[in-house]
Amino acid sequence: MSHDMGRLHHVGHVVRDMGEALDLYRRLGFTLAPPAYPAMAPSEGAAPEPFGAANTHADFPHNFVELVTCVPQGGGARVPDEAKLVPLRAPAELLPQLVERISSTSATIAAALERFEGLHILMFSSPDIDVAAARLSAARVAHGGVNTVHRAVETADGTRTESVRYLEIDSPEPAVTPGAVAEGRVGVVADLDPLVQAARQLDHPNGAFDLVEVVTCVAEADLDATEARYQEYLGIPAQADGPTRFFDLDGARLTFVPDSQLSTLLPGEHASAVPAFVAYAVAVRDVAATRKRLYDNGFSVGRTDSGDIFVPAASALGAAIIFREASQVRR
């Protein structure tokens, strides 16, 4: 294991309608806080209005699943009633930079949605992000450098300020949006603050407690090149498992499957595009209880050869969601 990059930090599910996504994830058995929407007054004295990109999390002790969407322009018809507006607060000289950053993020999310609704964000966790950045630079992996943002976080104990340090990897291909590679936004984030994370809502009715795998589908001809690219990102070698390749991330997995084999790995699944993140897995305490909950809430449930169950992408806004018995998670 590379000393500067460890487990999965989060995966991002980009959706068109946050209200629909909240309903879906809660029926799946995830606990979600009201989504946060950046807000800014359109003119002096006016009430703040949402803009940019909004998100919420299904939180686990060491990582999370993010739901993210673009804020519709020209009105809030698709902004959920429960949404929490977060007015932008920054010194006057820094406010334009903050607005530009949020607008850029929103444009990236909009471009992802034009491609397909589903998984577009993959972030790895680092105990020392400055060391990780230096190693990536030495390996000639292009990235935007380490950025720091501060955000207010609502917890059961009140509002806390969280500092987030991160970097985004750039594609060597000029046609790809800065801060992204062909399959989506990929980057590194400093390890979550355990005190802040512990104060979040971590209990999920479906029994989920950890993000343990992300599945990426690539064209068969590109498998070797993609594997080599991620070896540079992570600083560790890939391993083979039948037709798939995977990286062991502190017991979790980043798996690459050729498009010709996706339906073997996840029966009935096909990728909307390649390369793409097509599925993620969470560990659950009792997969039989999780399966019953899914059935009771009207979901069709697939099963893999390894014994995992999953909700197909067609039923989950473009992302197959895998549920894995805790005893099957390698540590």
Side-chain angles (χ1 to χ4, degrees):
M1 175 60 61
S2 169
H3 67 283
D4 59 56
M5 206 176 295
R7 61 177 66 92
L8 297 169
H9 188 279
H10 73 272
V11 64
H13 189 168
V14 179
V15 298
R16 293 189 173 89
D17 187 314
M18 180 61 81
E20 181 183 10
L22 290 169
D23 177 68
L24 168 76
Y25 267 71
R26 287 167 177 162
R27 288 194 300 114
L28 287 166
F30 292 104
T31 298
L32 298 164
Y37 280 69
M40 186 174 176
S43 59
E44 187 174 352
E49 295 181 0
F51 83 106
N55 74 344
T56 186
H57 299 165
D59 283 298
F60 310 120
H62 302 293
N63 45 42
F64 59 87
V65 175
E66 179 184 30
L67 288 179
V68 60
T69 193
C70 293
V71 177
Q73 291 185 323
R78 292 169 57 192
V79 175
D81 291 340
E82 67 182 275
K84 179 177 178 58
L85 298 188
V86 183
L88 294 187
R89 293 188 177 91
E93 65 274 14
L94 297 180
L95 191 57
Q97 180 182 351
L98 179 59
V99 171
E100 181 180 359
R101 180 180 295 169
I102 292 174
S103 298
S104 176
T105 299
S106 181
T108 300
I109 297 304
L113 282 173
E114 287 183 8
R115 191 172 181 227
F116 62 86
E117 183 175 38
L119 301 178
H120 289 278
I121 301 169
L122 170 61
M123 295 287 165
F124 302 101
S125 191
S126 174
D128 193 331
I129 194 169
D130 295 304
V131 170
R135 179 179 59 78
L136 290 170
S137 295
R140 297 186 178 180
V141 174
H143 61 85
V146 178
N147 297 289
T148 302
V149 296
H150 305 281
R151 63 185 182 187
V153 178
E154 294 294 329
T155 71
D157 300 323
T159 302
R160 304 180 66 160
T161 299
E162 181 179 35
S163 295
V164 180
R165 304 187 71 222
Y166 70 97
L167 67 80
E168 294 175 320
I169 293 173
D170 294 325
S171 172
E173 303 173 18
V176 178
T177 303
V181 295
E183 55 273 15
R185 287 179 64 200
V186 176
V188 188
V189 189
D191 286 348
L192 290 164
D193 183 331
L195 294 178
V196 173
Q197 195 66 0
R200 289 184 165 109
Q201 295 176 306
L202 302 177
D203 292 328
H204 302 280
N206 60 17
F209 64 91
D210 198 7
L211 173 65
V212 295
E213 186 172 16
V214 176
V215 179
T216 308
C217 186
V218 302
E220 193 155 4
D222 296 334
L223 183 60
D224 289 343
T226 305
E227 174 189 341
R229 179 157 53 88
Y230 275 81
Q231 284 187 169
E232 289 188 334
Y233 299 168
L234 296 168
I236 57 174
Q239 302 177 54
D241 184 3
T244 70
R245 315 280 174 83
F246 73 93
F247 291 88
D248 187 342
L249 300 172
D250 195 18
R253 278 191 175 196
L254 172 62
T255 297
F256 294 90
V257 58
D259 51 356
S260 61
Q261 297 296 318
L262 179 58
S263 62
T264 301
L265 184 69
L266 294 171
E269 290 298 293
H270 68 277
S272 299
V274 291
F277 308 123
V278 294
Y280 69 85
V282 293
V284 297
R285 305 188 190 285
D286 183 344
V287 76
T290 303
R291 181 171 53 243
K292 182 179 185 305
R293 182 180 187 89
L294 295 171
Y295 280 138
D296 288 348
N297 284 336
F299 290 101
S300 60
V301 179
R303 187 178 180 87
T304 71
D305 289 343
S306 62
D308 296 337
I309 62 172
F310 69 95
V311 173
S315 301
L317 301 178
I321 302 174
I322 305 166
F323 299 88
R324 180 169 299 154
E325 182 76 47
S327 62
Q328 300 301 312
V329 177
R330 298 188 309 162
R331 294 296 183 197

